[in-house]
Amino acid sequence: MKIAFIGLGNMGGGMAANLVKAGHEVQAFDLSPDALAKAAENGCTTFTAVPDAVAGVDAVVTMLPNGGIVKAVYTADVIGKAPAGALFLDCSTIDLATAREVAELAVAAGYEMVDAPVSGGIAAANGGTLTFMVGGDDAAFEKAKAVLDPMAKAVIHAGEIGAGQVAKMCNNMLLAVHMIGTCEALALAEKAGLDPQKFYEISSKSTGYCWSLNDYTPAPGVGAASPADNDYAGGFASALMLKDLRLAMAGAGTAGAAVPLGEHATKIYEQFVEAGNGGKDFGAIFTTL
Ligand code: NAD
């Protein structure tokens, strides 16, 4: 297939390279000349304008920072410029309202579109082991799956358009809450006189088990290897977790859902990021306790 890829940053760069490896012809665009140069090294054909990159393609994949940018790129330079009937896949994490609005505009203009946000970080993007949660109708999902498979460990049909973003915001709100809870429990164990490693051994096999404790233990030198063992460098930045929590809070507002722990987690990450810790892995909340 001929696929346009727009947004070749930390995530998109590796994803586009995996499409090339799978034998697709990838037409790449990014505002950053460095990102474009790297994409060229990885076998993409590069363009300096979006309408040129989407000319003649079967599908357009976007991996961009936020909903405002996604909407601007699609409305100004993709809708009406890509060939009629092309499939659009937005893999960015964005707000639900924008995801639905852009898809409606695309469908009204004769295209198919899915929202397909991902779980997994830069290593999974490079390794082709992302989990995609896809919103769109059955026909669009089947076509999207063929595009996403080379970048994926799993491609899951979440439901109608927007359902992928709903899954993503709910998953990451849950992740934030259990990460903070894990940090609190580890700190409490230690302060109350229990070796945190012993606590890990017990709770990871008891009803307290969860991904944050079992697989990504946020206390240095305890339990599973994680960025905590490297002064919280790398991993999933607290600023990105805050972005996802804010999207979840906006989504909860629109849906009229009560999310008291989600709200509290958002405040905790807000304070942490405002104190200058946005680049630290999200498990670094442990250091505040
Ligand atoms: P990034 O900032 O590294 O990359 C974004 C890229 O988009 C940059 O190269 C930037 O130059 C480009 N860009 C910005 N505006 C553009 C425009 N108008 N036209 C073309 N290119 C433009 O961000 P990232 O970490 O790759 O994240 C991308 C998306 O993936 C975000 O929505 C993020 O929330 C989501 N995500 C990130 C991670 C992660 O661990 N980094 C994990 C899951 C999901």
Side-chain angles (χ1 to χ4, degrees):
M1 266 192 268
K2 198 183 260 194
I3 301 172
F5 204 111
I6 302 167
L8 307 154
N10 288 323
M11 298 291 289
M15 292 163 70
N18 284 324
L19 289 176
V20 173
K21 277 187 209 149
H24 295 301
E25 199 178 318
V26 178
Q27 306 199 154
F29 174 81
D30 195 292
L31 292 177
S32 151
D34 288 350
L36 270 189
K38 210 162 169 215
E41 276 171 29
N42 289 331
C44 300
T45 310
T46 58
F47 292 83
T48 51
V50 176
D52 297 335
V54 303
V57 299
D58 304 296
V60 177
V61 181
T62 45
M63 193 55 170
L64 293 161
N66 61 52
I69 294 174
V70 168
K71 187 176 167 187
V73 166
Y74 276 97
T75 53
D77 287 330
V78 177
I79 294 173
K81 309 288 192 310
L87 171 69
F88 300 160
L89 305 94
D90 180 36
C91 299
S92 327
T93 305
I94 68 168
D95 62 285
L96 182 56
T98 303
R100 287 183 173 147
E101 186 191 346
V102 173
E104 275 167 22
L105 292 170
V107 169
Y111 300 97
E112 288 181 289
M113 183 155 192
V114 297
D115 53 306
V118 305
S119 176
I122 299 162
N126 290 335
T129 55
L130 293 164
T131 296
F132 288 86
M133 33 207 113
V134 184
D137 64 32
D138 289 344
F141 172 74
E142 284 312 319
K143 288 186 196 164
K145 194 171 178 316
V147 176
L148 298 173
D149 271 340
M151 305 183 279
K153 173 175 72 179
V155 180
I156 299 165
H157 193 184
E160 288 304 308
I161 195 78
Q165 296 295 350
V166 175
K168 172 76 184 173
M169 75 182 182
C170 293
N171 180 74
N172 278 26
M173 183 182 79
L174 175 59
L175 173 61
V177 168
H178 68 59
M179 174 54 83
I180 295 168
T182 298
C183 291
E184 287 185 4
L186 283 160
L188 171 60
E190 186 168 16
K191 289 199 168 130
L194 174 63
D195 177 3
Q197 179 63 28
K198 248 327 142 199
F199 171 70
Y200 165 81
E201 285 167 24
I202 294 165
S203 197
S204 61
K205 291 181 186 61
S206 303
T207 46
Y209 79 86
C210 62
W211 182 84
S212 296
L213 177 68
N214 287 39
D215 298 325
Y216 204 86
T217 324
V222 177
S226 82
D229 304 318
N230 190 25
D231 201 20
Y232 300 98
F236 183 46
S238 295
L240 286 177
M241 176 50 92
L242 177 58
K243 172 198 163 179
D244 290 355
L245 281 167
R246 284 177 169 155
L247 292 176
M249 293 309 99
T254 307
V259 285
L261 284 180
E263 281 173 10
H264 202 150
T266 306
K267 281 196 196 115
I268 288 172
Y269 277 102
E270 250 160 20
Q271 284 165 4
F272 192 59
V273 170
E274 278 163 16
N277 300 307
K280 288 192 184 152
D281 176 68
F282 77 122
I285 290 295
F286 180 73
T287 61
T288 68
L289 299 167

